[in-house]
Amino acid sequence: MKLTPFKLERYFAQHEFSTPYLLCSSDCESLTAGELLDFEPDAKERFSSLWLGYTESQGNPDLRQTISTLYDNVDSEQILVHAGAEEAIFNAVHVMVKSGDQIVVHSPYYQSLGEVARGIGAEVLEWHGRPERAWELDLADLKTLLTKHTKVVVVNFPHNPTGFLPSRDFVHDLATLSDHHGFTIFADEVYRGLELDPVNQVPALVEINDRAVSLGVMSKTYGLAGLRIGWIATHDHRLFRDLAAFKDYTTICNSAPSEFLATLALRNRKQIVERNVQIIRTNLDRLDSFFASQTRRFNWYRPKAGSIAFPTMTTDNVNRFCSELREKAGVLLLPGTLYGDWFNAFRIGFGRRNMPEALDRLEDYLREIDRT
């Protein structure tokens, strides 16, 4: 197996900790360990007495039970905990896909969702969202891509990087298509829970399709990326068994402190998510005003969910724009070409409290350009 460099992660490795103003962060506002422990009166005492030996390979039972409450009709025995979403993606693709298979990936996409399968020797086809329709997917487009070799269809709702969120009918129709065609749906749902209007939340694919795999993580909705805790949920017993066995060759088991803190956070998720959604709403109002004043430069679609969006550029090359913005104003945006050479767009993040400060720097930079 040979993997090409992960463009997005290499970009962040180079610039994330050296650029003063991050305007493309994908996660929400984080918490300190102390803030997390303050949610429950005896949490600090329990944490200080935590045994630091090996943990159960499938995940701490309390954590698995707590994760299962995020879903309808999923129990703890159908949850497998991983070291972040990345391990879960890597392992799941290895278990589900072999050389010569075909997978279809919702595009644009986080590189590992397609690249791992390509490294195995599978054919990767892209199911493109339509930028002129706020990055909407069309099931008719998917049907033209399906063949007898299609083993997996990868979707991402709410979507990274565009913020697209389908309708409930769309998700049910996708599940029905899976039943008729026989492919497995791998659903990246790491932004689930960040719907601006809760009525727009769609079912997790695991809730409506027996073969589906739903992916979750502590990093995005909860802002707790440092815990490195992710999971998959599936009703497919054989797939679950194979995933658990494959994990023996990667992390084997997870960090005991991380599992403790993740369990604590998920038990108190309502407060964490409400805080993060309020930050997002406030920041989106500011972004609406900004983009309304910049219609000559950018096309903007206000997302219905998540903490990121993918505005397109109309008057400049996105690579040049992002590079000059970083060098001259110290503001980091993520060029869309890291998702594919044809995306003249950029990822903007609005899940953190300091977003307005970074946006102010962007506005100052654009005013300076207009004066020259």
Side-chain angles (χ1 to χ4, degrees):
M1 180 186 187
K2 184 172 178 59
L3 297 174
T4 61
F6 204 130
K7 295 178 182 178
L8 183 151
E9 297 300 344
R10 291 297 89 209
Y11 183 84
F12 274 121
Q14 184 177 3
H15 300 300
E16 181 177 8
F17 297 101
S18 60
T19 307
Y21 300 94
L22 301 184
L23 196 49
C24 57
S25 301
S26 62
D27 54 349
C28 287
E29 187 76 14
S30 196
L31 294 163
T32 67
E35 288 171 327
L36 201 51
L37 290 167
D38 282 342
F39 277 120
E40 296 178 3
D42 63 341
K44 289 181 181 178
E45 181 180 353
R46 288 187 284 121
F47 189 59
S48 67
S49 62
L50 183 67
W51 177 254
L52 295 180
Y54 283 112
T55 62
E56 296 191 29
S57 63
Q58 295 185 6
N60 179 281
D62 288 342
L63 175 57
R64 296 172 73 198
Q65 176 59 39
T66 306
I67 292 171
S68 73
T69 66
L70 300 174
Y71 306 98
D72 293 333
N73 76 347
V74 173
D75 63 44
S76 62
E77 295 303 310
Q78 295 161 332
I79 303 293
L80 182 62
V81 183
H82 292 78
E86 188 65 84
E87 185 196 21
I89 293 168
F90 185 86
N91 291 3
V93 174
H94 273 85
V95 168
M96 295 189 297
V97 177
K98 65 181 185 300
S99 180
D101 286 344
Q102 180 190 86
I103 78 164
V104 177
V105 184
H106 177 181
S107 176
Y109 58 90
Y110 188 63
Q111 189 171 333
S112 60
L113 291 171
E115 188 59 39
V116 176
R118 189 176 287 112
I120 291 170
E123 179 184 18
V124 179
L125 302 179
E126 297 188 8
W127 180 17
H128 293 281
R130 299 185 178 187
E132 72 280 5
R133 291 165 52 180
W135 300 99
E136 181 181 358
L137 287 175
D138 191 325
L139 279 175
D141 295 338
L142 173 60
K143 292 174 183 177
T144 66
L145 299 173
L146 298 175
T147 74
K148 64 181 181 180
H149 301 293
T150 305
K151 294 299 191 297
V152 179
V153 172
V154 179
V155 293
N156 178 198
F157 308 139
H159 185 237
N160 172 4
T162 70
F164 166 70
L165 182 68
S167 67
R168 295 179 67 88
D169 286 345
F170 179 98
V171 174
H172 281 280
D173 289 345
L174 176 62
T176 299
L177 185 61
S178 165
D179 290 336
H180 289 167
H181 193 278
F183 58 78
T184 297
I185 302 171
F186 185 86
D188 178 344
E189 297 165 351
V190 299
Y191 288 96
R192 193 163 186 261
L194 290 182
E195 296 79 13
L196 296 177
D197 185 344
V199 75
N200 290 327
Q201 186 175 88
V202 299
L205 265 299
V206 69
E207 296 174 338
I208 59 174
N209 184 277
D210 286 341
R211 288 188 309 279
V213 176
S214 284
L215 172 72
V217 78
M218 296 303 300
S219 304
K220 308 303 184 184
T221 299
Y222 309 101
L224 298 171
L227 295 184
R228 310 312 303 141
I229 293 291
W231 62 85
I232 64 96
T234 184
H235 292 292
D236 187 327
H237 300 298
R238 179 178 295 180
L239 177 59
F240 186 97
R241 179 200 66 197
D242 292 346
L243 282 169
F246 193 91
K247 188 170 180 278
D248 293 339
Y249 284 95
T250 52
T251 59
I252 302 176
C253 63
N254 305 295
S255 157
S258 291
E259 290 195 326
F260 178 96
L261 294 172
T263 306
L264 177 60
L266 289 175
R267 279 203 302 264
N268 296 277
R269 62 184 177 271
K270 182 178 180 182
Q271 294 165 260
I272 297 172
V273 173
E274 285 179 352
R275 181 205 65 164
N276 288 342
V277 170
Q278 186 53 52
I279 292 170
I280 288 169
R281 287 195 181 105
T282 300
N283 285 342
L284 275 177
D285 288 343
R286 177 73 189 278
L287 285 172
D288 284 341
S289 297
F290 167 75
F291 283 109
S293 70
Q294 296 288 338
T295 55
R296 180 177 64 86
R297 285 189 171 99
F298 312 116
N299 290 325
W300 165 249
Y301 302 102
R302 181 186 175 100
K304 293 181 178 180
S307 56
I308 49 178
F310 205 51
T312 55
M313 298 204 68
T314 58
T315 62
D316 202 351
N317 174 275
V318 72
N319 286 330
R320 179 172 58 246
F321 176 77
C322 290
S323 177
E324 293 179 354
L325 176 66
R326 184 184 70 250
E327 292 171 2
K328 296 178 181 179
V331 177
L332 191 66
L333 287 173
L334 188 73
T337 50
L338 297 175
Y339 292 92
D341 292 339
W342 51 91
F343 290 116
N344 198 47
F346 56 86
R347 191 179 81 183
I348 190 166
F350 40 84
R352 297 187 182 182
R353 284 198 177 104
N354 64 355
M355 188 221 74
E357 185 179 2
L359 187 62
D360 286 343
R361 299 283 297 195
L362 172 58
E363 288 181 309
D364 290 344
Y365 173 74
L366 294 176
R367 280 193 289 268
E368 183 64 28
I369 290 177
D370 289 339
R371 284 195 292 267
T372 60

